[in-house]
């Protein structure tokens, strides 16, 4: 983010919806650029390096999925995918295309604003701030690292880094880097937040409702979002390591999720 004005690129071929999203984000303080095709949207993303991109799935030229992947290659923006079909959204989430959130049409300006606020509340990768104010707990929620995994606090030049370790997994909450066997895992913001929450108290069983609240903020009831993101996170973690890794996140039937014991994966 540059300066105090947040910028957004809205990619949507439907004039009415493009206008609605633009109005909604402008009211939220965004400086908005718009495109009505995937190619034009990509060019705008490259040209303006926005903080947020909203991306319609059904575009006249390029597939929204393809546009999302290409945005991810060139930009750190938060990406919200928008589709008219709920089943399409479920499929999209399974594809690991790197979007941060999903919205189904029709939606109200208020709903979009709430989603955007929730995304921007989450911590972002940041350089040294130069302040000596210590950051708050790295993870929302009541459990502390002391209840399970090991945490190292390293302080240098006024910045505090918390490194959470659990078995072969290490999570640097300040640098927002997760590794398996010292190899970096490419996670979306949501997946990273989910992993750091679970690893912050690996013996705790986290209910879907608590995870939803912790990651998206209060007021959401779509627990299937948590299931899909946990599924994606499991797949990514399992692919890593020299000989692959058993999924390190256990489902506790009827309750939620917890980390496996460190020697079990
Ligand atoms: Ca469309």
């Amino acid at each position: 983010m540059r300066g105090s004005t947040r910028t957004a690129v809205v990619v949507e071929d439907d004039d009415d919806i493009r206008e609605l999203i633009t109005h909604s984000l402008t009211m939220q303080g965004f400086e908005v650029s718009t495109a009505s095709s995937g190619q034009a949207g990509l060019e705008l993303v490259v040209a303006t390096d926005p903080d947020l991109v909203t991306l319609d799935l059904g575009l006249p030229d390029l597939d929204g999925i393809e546009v999302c992947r290409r945005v991810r290659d060139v930009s750190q923006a938060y990406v919200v995918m928008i589709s008219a079909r709920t089943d399409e959204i479920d499929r999209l989430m399974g594809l690991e295309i790197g979007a941060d959130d999903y919205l189904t049409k029709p939606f109200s300006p208020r709903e979009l604003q709430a989603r955007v606020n929730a995304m921007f509340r989450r911590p972002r990768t940041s350089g040294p701030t130069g302040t000596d104010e210590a950051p708050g707990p790295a993870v929302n929620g009541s459990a502390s690292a002391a209840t399970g995994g090991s945490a190292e606090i390293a302080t240098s030049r006024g910045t505090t880094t918390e490194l959470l370790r659990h078995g072969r997994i290490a999570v640097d909450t300040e640098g927002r880097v997760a590794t398996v066997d010292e190899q970096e895992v490419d996670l979306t913001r949501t997946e990273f937040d989910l992993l750091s929450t679970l690893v912050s108290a690996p013996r705790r069983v986290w209910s879907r409702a608590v995870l939803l609240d912790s990651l998206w903020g209060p007021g959401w009831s779509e627990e299937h979002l948590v299931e899909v993101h946990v599924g994606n996170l499991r797949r990514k973690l399992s692919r890593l390591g020299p000989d692959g890794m058993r999924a390190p996140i256990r489902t506790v039937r009827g309750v939620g999720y917890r980390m496996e014991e460190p020697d079990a994966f």
Side-chain angles (χ1 to χ4, degrees), residues 12-14 56-60 105:
E12 169 65 67
D13 60 313
D14 183 302
D56 180 35
L57 181 67
L59 291 165
K105 296 175 192 175

Side-chain angles (χ1 to χ4, degrees), residues 156-175:
S156 66
R157 293 173 45 175
T159 58
T160 303
T161 300
E162 189 173 21
L163 190 65
L164 304 170
R165 283 191 186 277
H166 186 68
R168 298 160 65 182
I169 299 172
V171 179
D172 169 0
T173 55
E174 178 70 16

Side-chain angles (χ1 to χ4, degrees), residues 1 4-8 10 19-32 51-54 78 80 101 103 107-121 220:
M1 263 180 269
S4 56
T5 305
R6 297 187 298 191
T7 56
V10 173
E19 189 55 40
L20 172 88
I21 297 172
T22 300
H23 178 71
S24 168
L25 294 176
T26 303
M27 297 309 291
Q28 248 179 316
F30 282 90
E31 201 170 275
V32 181
D51 303 302
L52 171 71
V53 177
T54 76
Y78 290 98
V80 184
D101 208 345
L103 260 183
F107 54 86
S108 69
R110 216 172 124 254
E111 193 176 356
L112 174 63
Q113 289 174 347
R115 293 291 183 101
V116 169
N117 279 335
M119 282 192 302
F120 277 81
R121 259 203 314 272
W220 302 109

Side-chain angles (χ1 to χ4, degrees), residues 47-206:
T48 65
D49 187 23
D51 303 302
L52 171 71
V53 177
T54 76
L55 194 50
D56 180 35
L57 181 67
L59 291 165
D61 55 345
L62 293 167
D63 185 359
I65 294 172
E66 184 57 31
V67 178
C68 185
R69 288 197 169 120
R70 293 201 208 166
V71 165
R72 267 286 152 266
D73 286 341
V74 297
S75 166
Q76 287 294 306
Y78 290 98
V79 178
V80 184
M81 291 290 294
I82 297 172
S83 168
R85 290 168 47 194
T86 311
D87 58 337
E88 195 61 24
I89 298 252
D90 287 344
R91 188 176 73 84
L92 282 180
M93 288 197 283
L95 287 178
E96 301 177 10
I97 58 174
D100 293 285
D101 208 345
Y102 302 85
L103 260 183
T104 313
K105 296 175 192 175
F107 54 86
S108 69
R110 216 172 124 254
E111 193 176 356
L112 174 63
Q113 289 174 347
R115 293 291 183 101
V116 169
N117 279 335
M119 282 192 302
F120 277 81
R121 259 203 314 272
R122 291 190 227 154
R124 301 191 61 160
T125 305
S126 57
T129 58
T131 72
D132 47 20
E133 186 187 339
V139 175
N140 290 336
S142 50
S144 83
T147 56
S150 64
E152 300 160 18
I153 307 288
T155 304
S156 66
R157 293 173 45 175
T159 58
T160 303
T161 300
E162 189 173 21
L163 190 65
L164 304 170
R165 283 191 186 277
H166 186 68
R168 298 160 65 182
I169 299 172
V171 179
D172 169 0
T173 55
E174 178 70 16
R176 296 184 66 76
V177 174
T179 57
V180 171
D181 299 337
E182 316 303 326
Q183 184 186 347
E184 186 168 346
V185 195
D186 184 20
L187 300 177
T188 66
R189 286 188 181 78
T190 301
E191 289 157 3
F192 181 88
D193 291 339
L194 190 54
L195 180 64
S196 46
T197 301
L198 291 167
V199 170
S200 73
R203 290 187 178 79
R204 169 175 171 173
V205 178
W206 295 84

